[in-house]
Every structure is written in C-alpha cells, then in structure tokens.
Amino acid sequence: GESVGLHLPTLSVQEGDNSIINCAYSNSASDYFIWYKQESGKGPQFIIDIRSNMDKRQGQRVTVLLNKTVKHLSLQIAATQPGDSAVYFCAESYYGGSQGNLIFGKGTKLSVKP
Amino acid sequence: KAGVTQTPRYLIKTRGQQVTLSCSPISGHRSVSWYQQTPGQGLQFLFEYFSETQRNKGNFPGRFSGRQFSNSRSEMNVSTLELGDSALYLCASSVTGGGPYEQYFGPGTRLTVT
C-alpha cells in the first residue's frame, strides 16, 4: 500500500549491518520524542521513546540518541534484518501542553538487502 | 489485549459528500488522537479527545470534526469532501497519566475522494 510518502529519503543497508536514521526536530520546547516504524499498509508502530532529560536510551537492538543543542535525534538499529525494512518516523511532543499532539517528521525509508 | 481498531478500512466517496470514520481504542485507554497521512504532507495531527472532550486541535478546516463517546470510542467526520481529503486517516489511543506516554496506532482508514 502507499501509506507513506513518495520521494522519501532512503537508506539502503546490507543485512547484518547497523543502520542509523537521523531526524531534525523543530521545536526547542519539545520534551518527548518517539520513533515509529511503519510498514506498508499498516499504522505506525512504536519503537522507542526518550525524554528530553536523557541523551541516550537503549532498547532491544535499537538505540535512540538525543542532541538538544542541535535539535537532532537519531535511531540506531543493530544487526539490521530484512524485517526492519519500513519507513521510520521521528515524532516530537511538548507534553507540558496538550498530550495528544505528536508532530511527525517526514520519514526515512529503510531498505535492507539480504 | 486487542489493538486499536478502525472502521471501515477502505472508503470511496464523491466530492461534496460527507464521511464518518470510527475508532475503537485499546481497552482502558481514554485518549484518542486522529492523524491524516498523505504523500505530500506526511502525518499531520487533526485532534485529540480525552474523556469526551476535545483537548487539542490541529490546523485543519472546520469541515473536519470529531467526537468521543463515554466508552472512549471516537468518530471523526469530514463534511463537503474535497479531492485533497484523500488520505490515510489514522487514530491512536493512549493511557493519559499526566506525563509522556506512547500512542498506539490503528491500521487506518484509506479514504479516496473522486
């Protein structure tokens, strides 16, 4: 399905390699950040989140790094697998205001070559 | 626990008509947010409901409206459909506990306006 945008930045990696997906966020007041994975025909799926009082958080095979100085977020995927192929979105939120409003980045398409 | 469900999954409408989409959140979740996803604009926040009240609204015209019922189920309505309303409409639910939280997305409703 065409649930994600055309002409997205694409990252192509070999199976087993590490992947790094970058995101620049817009609001310096944002204090909560999330990475989502969206596969074709599905809704976004939560991967990992991080609060602004942290600069690194690790999950299973994934690590999120936050650099508030330059408003940059990255997602590192270790030992990338074909099942990781999807579009990845970063999202930011200012939970001190409304809690239901996530601002999404444009997305990066990850393509894993077997 | 069942995930977020959205009905219908696919919908074709004619310009000028109106449409109602439905979202059933995860049991126990009281917040429901709606997003529009298009290739050109990506994922954009429409509005969020919590305890039957709209808590926040994105930058969409008044033709887009929503409501939430006492069982947390939510509907969104688009009146006087335009071709540009063709999109994937996603709803997301979350437990609102006064801090950052993750949103769980449904599979979306694919609306095509002809």
Side-chain angles (χ1 to χ4, degrees):
Chain A
E2 69 280 20
S3 60
V4 295
L6 301 174
H7 309 301
L8 287 173
T10 299
L11 175 65
S12 185
V13 301
Q14 203 70 38
E15 181 179 0
D17 287 351
N18 296 333
S19 302
I20 299 176
I21 301 171
N22 296 303
C23 173
Y25 64 90
S26 58
N27 187 355
S28 56
S30 292
D31 49 17
Y32 179 56
F33 306 88
I34 313 175
W35 280 100
Y36 283 94
K37 170 187 179 183
Q38 188 174 26
E39 297 172 286
S40 182
K42 298 183 179 179
Q45 177 187 359
F46 174 90
I47 301 173
I48 191 168
D49 60 358
I50 188 168
R51 303 184 188 196
S52 59
N53 60 354
M54 305 170 67
D55 53 22
K56 180 179 180 179
R57 190 167 187 218
Q58 289 184 292
Q60 186 177 16
R61 282 200 308 119
V62 294
T63 300
V64 55
L65 299 177
L66 174 63
N67 184 333
K68 294 182 288 295
T69 302
V70 294
K71 294 193 291 185
H72 183 268
L73 200 63
S74 68
L75 176 70
Q76 300 176 3
I77 304 174
T80 313
Q81 303 168 359
D84 295 327
S85 294
V87 176
Y88 289 80
F89 294 94
C90 66
E92 60 184 292
S93 177
Y94 171 54
Y95 86 93
S98 171
Q99 298 180 340
N101 181 2
L102 290 175
I103 301 169
F104 283 84
K106 293 299 184 184
T108 296
K109 184 175 182 179
L110 176 65
S111 178
V112 182
K113 295 175 287 186
Chain B
K1 187 181 276 192
V4 177
T5 57
Q6 293 187 245
T7 57
R9 291 294 311 278
Y10 301 92
L11 205 51
I12 300 175
K13 288 287 189 178
T14 303
R15 191 171 45 184
Q17 289 185 315
Q18 68 96 28
V19 66
T20 299
L21 312 180
S22 181
C23 172
S24 293
I26 293 172
S27 177
H29 286 194
R30 295 169 64 194
S31 169
V32 174
S33 297
W34 288 90
Y35 295 84
Q36 181 195 64
Q37 186 174 31
T38 60
Q41 298 300 318
L43 274 154
Q44 293 185 290
F45 173 76
L46 280 156
F47 29 65
E48 185 225 359
Y49 286 87
F50 177 76
S51 293
E52 303 177 64
T53 301
Q54 187 180 88
R55 271 204 307 200
N56 195 20
K57 190 178 190 304
N59 189 26
F60 278 81
R63 299 185 297 108
F64 292 82
S65 63
R67 59 177 176 169
Q68 186 180 34
F69 302 94
S70 58
N71 61 357
S72 293
R73 190 178 70 85
S74 178
E75 290 181 346
M76 68 162 283
N77 184 78
V78 188
S79 63
T80 319
L81 284 165
E82 301 177 359
L83 296 178
D85 297 332
S86 293
L88 181 69
Y89 289 89
L90 294 157
C91 94
S93 76
S94 63
V95 175
T96 302
Y101 60 96
E102 59 183 89
Q103 294 188 359
Y104 296 85
F105 282 81
T109 294
R110 168 70 61 190
L111 172 65
T112 301
V113 182
T114 61

